[in-house]
Amino acid sequence: MELQGTVKKLFDAQTFASGFQKREMVILTQEQYPQPINIEFLSDKISLLDSLKEGDNVKVGINIRGREWVSPQGETKYFNSITGWRVEKVSDIASEPTQAMPQQSASPVSNENPFAGDDDDDLPF
C-alpha cells in the first residue's frame, strides 16, 4: 500500500534495551479531510528518513500490521501499526491540482436547426 502526503513531523530514532530501533514520521495526507498518519520505520529502514525534512511531499510504501494482546485480567485487545519500508520524494508541481483549460472550437458554432429542411418524416409517431 502507499500513502502520499506532506511530512508534518520527524522524530528521533529510538533504541530499546533489546537493541531494537525505530523512528517515526507523521505525514499529513492530501485529501478533502487531511489526516495526520503516524508511520514507523524499523531497524535498517530508519535511515530512509535521513534525507527528509518537515514540509517535504512524499509517497511512502507501507504495510499495516496488527497484533493481539491479552491483559493480565484476561481482556483481549487489538493494536494496529503502520510500518514504512520505502520513501520517495514527490515534486511540488506534480502534487498541485491542475485546472483544465477550456477548449476552443476550430469551427464556428451554428444555431441553425440541422433538421429544418427535412420534409421526409418517416417516423411512425
Side-chain angles (χ1 to χ4, degrees):
M1 299 179 82
E2 287 185 341
L3 286 176
Q4 188 166 335
T6 303
V7 176
K8 181 177 174 111
K9 182 81 174 153
L10 287 167
F11 295 95
D12 292 331
Q14 298 174 313
T15 303
F16 299 90
S18 64
F20 174 75
Q21 292 184 315
K22 81 172 184 177
R23 187 172 179 194
E24 296 177 324
M25 167 178 73
V26 176
I27 67 169
L28 190 60
T29 61
Q30 300 168 344
E31 50 195 359
Q32 183 178 1
Y33 301 106
Q35 301 291 311
I37 307 290
N38 187 57
I39 304 169
E40 304 178 317
F41 289 79
L42 309 176
S43 302
D44 61 333
K45 301 296 183 188
I46 63 173
S47 63
L48 295 173
L49 302 180
D50 291 344
S51 65
L52 298 179
K53 64 183 184 312
E54 293 177 8
D56 285 347
N57 289 323
V58 293
K59 186 185 299 183
V60 184
I62 62 164
N63 290 324
I64 298 177
R65 298 177 185 251
R67 61 192 170 281
E68 178 179 271
W69 176 73
V70 180
S71 73
Q73 294 80 22
E75 183 181 358
T76 303
K77 294 195 176 206
Y78 297 91
F79 297 92
N80 299 317
S81 61
I82 301 172
T83 306
W85 53 271
R86 179 179 50 114
V87 177
E88 174 186 336
K89 284 188 182 181
V90 179
S91 69
D92 294 338
I93 296 170
S95 64
E96 291 180 8
T98 56
Q99 184 174 353
M101 297 297 291
Q103 292 184 355
Q104 294 193 7
S105 176
S107 61
V109 178
S110 172
N111 288 335
E112 273 184 44
N113 183 352
F115 304 107
D118 283 345
D119 292 333
D120 184 17
D121 188 7
D122 59 354
L123 294 175
F125 50 86

